[in-house]
Amino acid sequence: MTTRRDYHGVTIECLQGNIADQPDVDAIVNAANAQLRIGGGVAGAIHRAAGPGLEEECRPLAPIRPGEAVITGAHNLPNRHVIHCLGPVFGKDKPSDQLLAACYRNALRLAEEHDIGSIAFPSISTGAFGYPVEAAARIALRTVLEELPGLTSVKLIRFVLFSTEDLEVHSHALEKAIGEAR
Ligand code: ADP
């Protein structure tokens, strides 16, 4: 099941899948760690699929701080770019909501600067970093909708969720955010 909505000339999708297997988008977003190393979860899947060249390209860009984003090539991944965001550790990096929103804003800013037409996000901070998924999804979808009027190159924003539960939460957050924005 895919939820898809067009808003301000941009398509927003929520679907279930693997962020490292999105060959039809220009850029994928990594839920990175501060050192931009391989790690587990999303970062592990992305670095394994990209190959060691990605860690090498990342090394001089690290460390990054919560809310920040950096962009690299995609190496062996079927995309043009990887945008690495460091989400907040819930309850430690504060204010967590503003730092999480900054991840989405900074990723979209980098996408615009690199003429990226389509971008796929995972659910940043909701794995090892412990952010409750309902709250994180609300922030993610609201922030993305707020940014839409300023976008010119980005035409597709996809949220790739690992579980059916997380997909439902994000689809619901998308409907709600659009309802509030109208
Ligand atoms: P963080 O450290 O920012 O919390 P994680 O990588 O631990 O990031 O997890 C973020 C979310 O992504 C979790 O919901 C996790 O289940 C999910 N996830 C893990 N691997 C993948 C993957 N390959 N594709 C999409 N989502 C994934």
Side-chain angles (χ1 to χ4, degrees), residues 46-59:
I46 288 178
H47 277 278
R48 272 194 304 277
L54 182 60
E55 247 193 3
E56 219 165 281
E57 187 182 352
C58 282
R59 201 167 300 134

Side-chain angles (χ1 to χ4, degrees), residues 28-34 36 64-71 83-89 93 95-112 119-126 129 131 136 139-141 143-144 147 157 159:
I28 60 170
V29 174
N30 183 13
N33 47 69
L36 304 175
I64 62 170
R65 286 174 305 188
E68 287 185 344
V70 293
I71 189 165
I83 296 176
H84 309 259
C85 293
L86 180 61
V89 176
D93 299 317
S96 293
D97 55 345
Q98 287 173 36
L99 293 171
L100 186 60
C103 286
Y104 289 92
R105 265 198 304 274
N106 284 325
L108 289 173
R109 176 182 50 76
L110 285 174
E112 285 286 316
I119 181 169
F121 285 98
S123 176
I124 297 169
S125 280
T126 65
F129 287 180
Y131 214 115
I139 291 163
L141 273 305
T143 304
V144 161
E147 294 301 306
I157 300 173
F159 286 85

Side-chain angles (χ1 to χ4, degrees), residues 17-20 31 40-43 45 122-130 160-162 166:
N18 176 0
I19 190 72
V42 166
S123 176
I124 297 169
S125 280
T126 65
F129 287 180
V160 180
L161 293 318
F162 227 23
D166 287 358

Side-chain angles (χ1 to χ4, degrees), residues 109-159:
R109 176 182 50 76
L110 285 174
E112 285 286 316
E113 286 171 9
H114 289 78
D115 213 24
I116 284 164
S118 49
I119 181 169
F121 285 98
S123 176
I124 297 169
S125 280
T126 65
F129 287 180
Y131 214 115
V133 67
E134 282 84 3
R138 198 159 52 233
I139 291 163
L141 273 305
R142 271 190 194 157
T143 304
V144 161
L145 284 194
E146 279 168 14
E147 294 301 306
L148 294 188
L151 301 181
T152 54
S153 69
V154 175
K155 295 293 175 201
L156 171 70
I157 300 173
R158 176 179 295 164
F159 286 85

